[in-house]
C-alpha cells in the first residue's frame, strides 16, 4: 500500500466513466410512523416528542391534519382541496414560518398543473379511519416554536414534493487511472433534481454521501491527497428510534422498499398511535435505555437481556416473537372486516395462553425449593432463576393477560 502512495502521489489521473440512468420517485405522504422516523433521523426527535408536536400543530395551531394515522394517501375527492392549499402557499409572502422555497415550489406545481388524479396519492382503498398527514392550507401567521417549525416544514414540503417529477440520476462507476494504478469510485450524479428541488437541491452539486460531482471520460483529476484506510467488518448498527419504528412496522422483517412496507404493515407491532408509547414504556421499565454518548441509539439493559435469557432458558419463545404479535394484529384487523370469526381467534389465543401458563407454573413449582436454597448457597455455576427473574416473567404474563382483557379477550 505504501508503494502505491509513492507511485501516485502528486501525479494526475485520467477518468473513465461508465454511467446508467436512474430515476427516484418522490416519497409518499407521511403517516405518523414515517413522520416519526424522518424527524428522528433528521433532528433526533423521539417518537413521543414528534407525536406531541404534530398533535399541537393539529389541535392548537390548526396547521396539520389529524396525526394519528396509518395512511399515506388522500381521498380521491380531495384534489380540489389540495389545489387550494398549495395555491394558498404559492400566493403567500415569505416569513419566519413560511420559507421562500415552499412558496416557489408551490408556484411551480400550480403553474405546471401537476395536481391531477394519481392512485399513489389519491386512493380511497388505502385509507382507513384517517388519511395522510398534510397541511390544512392555513398559512402560519405567527412564529412557531423551533421544533414545531421543523415538523411543519417536513410535512408541507413532502406534500408539495409528491407532485413534482422524479429526480433523475446517473448511476456511475468511475475509474481513475494514475499510470498503471487504477482506483474505483461508485456513486450517482444528480442530473435533474425533480422533486429534490423542493429541498433546495441543484444538478451537479454533490450533497449526499454516495453522490459524485459530474465528470466525463478523459477528464483529468488532480491527486491532492492519498491515505491508507484500514477497515474491518462491523456488526449491525444499534437500533435508534427511526430504525426501531421501521422494524415495528414490519414485525422485525428487514424491508427497504416503502411500497412493500405498506403491504406488511398490517402485520406490524402496535399502531402508529401506540408505537411511541411502547418504546417509552420499555425505557420507563428499564428494559432499554438511551446511549450516553450517542443519544439517538437505544441499548438493551441488563434487565432486558436477563429477561430474554430467561425466556430462552425456559423455552417460551412465543412471548418474544415479533412475528406472532404481528400475526395477531393482522388477525384482529381481519376480525374487524369480518374475514375471521371471533371464535376461531379466541380459541387460538386461549390455547396459547393456557400452554404458556402451564409451562410457567411447572417451572415455578420445580424451582421453588432450588430458589430457596440458592438464596443461601453457592450453586457452583449452575444456571438457576432468581426471584427477580421469576417476577419479571410473571409480570410479563400478567401484562399479556391484561392486554387480552383490554381487547375483550377473557
Amino acid at each position: 500500500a505504501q508503494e502505491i502512495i509513492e507511485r501516485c502521489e502528486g501525479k494526475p489521473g485520467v477518468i473513465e466513466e461508465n454511467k446508467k440512468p436512474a430515476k427516484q420517485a418522490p416519497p409518499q405522504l407521511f403517516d405518523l410512523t414515517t413522520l416519526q422516523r424522518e424527524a428522528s433521523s433528521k433532528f433526533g426527535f423521539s417518537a413521543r416528542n414528534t407525536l406531541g408536536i404534530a398533535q399541537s400543530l393539529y389541535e392548537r395551531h390548526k396547521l396539520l391534519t389529524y396525526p394519528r394515522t396509518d395512511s399515506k394517501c388522500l381521498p380521491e375527492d380531495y384534489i380540489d382541496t389540495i389545489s387550494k392549499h398549495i395555491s394558498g402557499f404559492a400566493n403567500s409572502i415569505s416569513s419566519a414560518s413560511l420559507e421562500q422555497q415552499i412558496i416557489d415550489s408551490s408556484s411551480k406545481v400550480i403553474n405546471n398543473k401537476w395536481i391531477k388524479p394519481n392512485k399513489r396519492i389519491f386512493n380511497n382503498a388505502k385509507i382507513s379511519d384517517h388519511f395522510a398527514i398534510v397541511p390544512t392550507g392555513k398559512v402560519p401567521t405567527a412564529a412557531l416554536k423551533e421544533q414545531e417549525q421543523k415538523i411543519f416544514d417536513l410535512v408541507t414540503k413532502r406534500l408539495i414534493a409528491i407532485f413534482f417529477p422524479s429526480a433523475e440520476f446517473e448511476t456511475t462507476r468511475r475509474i481513475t487511472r494514475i499510470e498503471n494504478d487504477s482506483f474505483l469510485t461508485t456513486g450517482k450524479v444528480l442530473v435533474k433534481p425533480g422533486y429534490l428541488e423542493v429541498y433546495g437541491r441543484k444538478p451537479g452539486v454533490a450533497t449526499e454521501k454516495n453522490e459524485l460531482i459530474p465528470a466525463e471520460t478523459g477528464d483529468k483529476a488532480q491527486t491532492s491527497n492519498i491515505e491508507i484506510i484500514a477497515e474491518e467488518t462491523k456488526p449491525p448498527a444499534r437500533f435508534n428510534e427511526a430504525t426501531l419504528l421501521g422494524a415495528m412496522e414490519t414485525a422485525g422483517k428487514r424491508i427497504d422498499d416503502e411500497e412493500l412496507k405498506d403491504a406488511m404493515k398490517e402485520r406490524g407491532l402496535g399502531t402508529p398511535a401506540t408505537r411511541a408509547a411502547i418504546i417509552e414504556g420499555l425505557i420507563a421499565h428499564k428494559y432499554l435505555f438511551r446511549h450516553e454518548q450517542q443519544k439517538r441509539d437505544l441499548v438493551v439493559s441488563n434487565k432486558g437481556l436477563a429477561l430474554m435469557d430467561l425466556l430462552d432458558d425456559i423455552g417460551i419463545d412465543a412471548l418474544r416473537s415479533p412475528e406472532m404479535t404481528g400475526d395477531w394484529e393482522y388477525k384482529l384487523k381481519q376480525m374487524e372486516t369480518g374475514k375471521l370469526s371471533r371464535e376461531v381467534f379466541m380459541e387460538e389465543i386461549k390455547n396459547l395462553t393456557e400452554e404458556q401458563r402451564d409451562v410457567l407454573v411447572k417451572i415455578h413449582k420445580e424451582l421453588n425449593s432450588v430458589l430457596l436454597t440458592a438464596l443461601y448457597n453457592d450453586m457452583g455455576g449452575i444456571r438457576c432463576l432468581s426471584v427477580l427473574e421469576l417476577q419479571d416473567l410473571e409480570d410479563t404474563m400478567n401484562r399479556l393477560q391484561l392486554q387480552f382483557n383490554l381487547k375483550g379477550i377473557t
Side-chain angles (χ1 to χ4, degrees), residues 69-189:
T69 177
D70 62 354
S71 176
K72 297 178 183 177
C73 292
L74 297 170
E76 293 170 13
D77 61 359
Y78 220 63
I79 296 176
D80 290 341
T81 301
I82 292 297
S83 296
K84 290 176 184 176
H85 292 352
I86 295 181
S87 292
F89 293 136
N91 296 322
S92 297
I93 299 172
S94 65
S95 66
S97 298
L98 191 70
E99 61 181 78
Q100 188 64 43
Q101 186 68 54
I102 290 176
I103 296 170
D104 294 342
S105 299
S106 298
S107 298
K108 192 163 188 175
V109 169
I110 297 301
N111 294 338
N112 286 282
K113 299 179 179 179
W114 281 338
I115 302 176
K116 56 188 70 175
N118 182 336
K119 287 292 186 182
R120 189 169 179 264
I121 307 170
F122 303 99
N123 192 337
N124 291 342
K126 293 190 175 181
I127 297 173
S128 51
D129 296 331
H130 304 280
F131 52 76
I133 305 171
V134 293
T136 59
K138 179 182 176 183
V139 178
T141 55
L144 299 171
K145 294 178 181 178
E146 181 183 355
Q147 291 187 339
E148 291 175 334
Q149 186 65 57
K150 288 178 176 179
I151 296 299
F152 176 74
D153 286 349
L154 273 184
V155 175
T156 303
K157 288 181 178 180
R158 180 66 68 98
L159 173 66
I160 297 166
I162 201 169
F163 296 106
F164 269 69
S166 298
E168 296 184 20
F169 293 89
E170 286 179 339
T171 303
T172 303
R173 189 173 185 272
R174 179 176 297 171
I175 298 175
T176 305
R177 303 186 191 278
I178 303 175
E179 295 183 349
N180 294 324
D181 294 295
S182 300
F183 301 89
L184 174 65
T185 308
T186 58
K188 58 184 182 180
V189 176

Side-chain angles (χ1 to χ4, degrees), residues 13-276:
V14 180
I15 291 173
E16 179 184 313
E17 289 275 289
N18 186 356
K19 304 176 183 178
K20 291 181 180 179
K23 290 187 177 183
Q24 182 176 306
Q28 288 188 281
L29 298 174
F30 283 121
D31 64 2
L32 178 57
T33 301
T34 51
L35 178 60
Q36 289 169 320
R37 288 168 54 197
E38 188 81 357
S40 177
S41 297
K42 286 184 177 293
F43 312 126
F45 293 174
S46 70
R48 181 175 64 177
N49 191 24
T50 299
L51 174 57
I53 296 166
Q55 197 72 28
S56 174
L57 290 168
Y58 164 67
E59 292 179 345
R60 180 183 171 196
H61 299 288
K62 314 297 182 187
L63 292 174
L64 297 185
T65 56
Y66 185 73
R68 296 171 183 262
T69 177
D70 62 354
S71 176
K72 297 178 183 177
C73 292
L74 297 170
E76 293 170 13
D77 61 359
Y78 220 63
I79 296 176
D80 290 341
T81 301
I82 292 297
S83 296
K84 290 176 184 176
H85 292 352
I86 295 181
S87 292
F89 293 136
N91 296 322
S92 297
I93 299 172
S94 65
S95 66
S97 298
L98 191 70
E99 61 181 78
Q100 188 64 43
Q101 186 68 54
I102 290 176
I103 296 170
D104 294 342
S105 299
S106 298
S107 298
K108 192 163 188 175
V109 169
I110 297 301
N111 294 338
N112 286 282
K113 299 179 179 179
W114 281 338
I115 302 176
K116 56 188 70 175
N118 182 336
K119 287 292 186 182
R120 189 169 179 264
I121 307 170
F122 303 99
N123 192 337
N124 291 342
K126 293 190 175 181
I127 297 173
S128 51
D129 296 331
H130 304 280
F131 52 76
I133 305 171
V134 293
T136 59
K138 179 182 176 183
V139 178
T141 55
L144 299 171
K145 294 178 181 178
E146 181 183 355
Q147 291 187 339
E148 291 175 334
Q149 186 65 57
K150 288 178 176 179
I151 296 299
F152 176 74
D153 286 349
L154 273 184
V155 175
T156 303
K157 288 181 178 180
R158 180 66 68 98
L159 173 66
I160 297 166
I162 201 169
F163 296 106
F164 269 69
S166 298
E168 296 184 20
F169 293 89
E170 286 179 339
T171 303
T172 303
R173 189 173 185 272
R174 179 176 297 171
I175 298 175
T176 305
R177 303 186 191 278
I178 303 175
E179 295 183 349
N180 294 324
D181 294 295
S182 300
F183 301 89
L184 174 65
T185 308
T186 58
K188 58 184 182 180
V189 176
L190 181 61
V191 179
K192 293 183 180 179
Y195 79 90
L196 293 174
E197 184 180 329
V198 178
Y199 301 94
R201 295 294 308 279
K202 295 185 180 347
V205 180
T207 60
E208 294 185 3
K209 190 174 182 180
N210 65 336
E211 287 189 20
L212 307 174
I213 59 171
E216 298 295 336
T217 296
D219 286 353
K220 296 290 179 66
Q222 183 61 41
T223 306
S224 59
N225 182 49
I226 302 177
E227 60 179 313
I228 300 170
I229 300 176
E231 294 189 349
E232 57 186 29
T233 304
K234 297 178 181 179
R238 286 191 178 99
F239 277 118
N240 54 42
E241 290 206 32
T243 54
L244 182 56
L245 286 166
M248 292 173 76
E249 274 192 300
T250 57
K253 297 183 184 297
R254 292 187 175 272
I255 301 174
D256 295 325
D257 186 272
E258 288 296 328
E259 307 286 347
L260 290 178
K261 280 184 179 177
D262 279 347
M264 264 298 298
K265 72 177 174 183
E266 287 190 347
R267 295 180 184 268
L269 304 183
T271 67
T274 62
R275 286 177 188 135

Side-chain angles (χ1 to χ4, degrees), residues 238-240 282-283 286-292 294 296-302 304-305:
R238 286 191 178 99
F239 277 118
N240 54 42
L282 289 169
I283 293 172
K286 303 190 185 315
Y287 290 106
L288 297 178
F289 61 91
R290 290 188 171 90
H291 196 279
E292 290 184 6
Q294 305 295 328
R296 299 187 187 187
D297 288 353
L298 297 171
V299 184
V300 63
S301 67
N302 289 335
L305 289 171

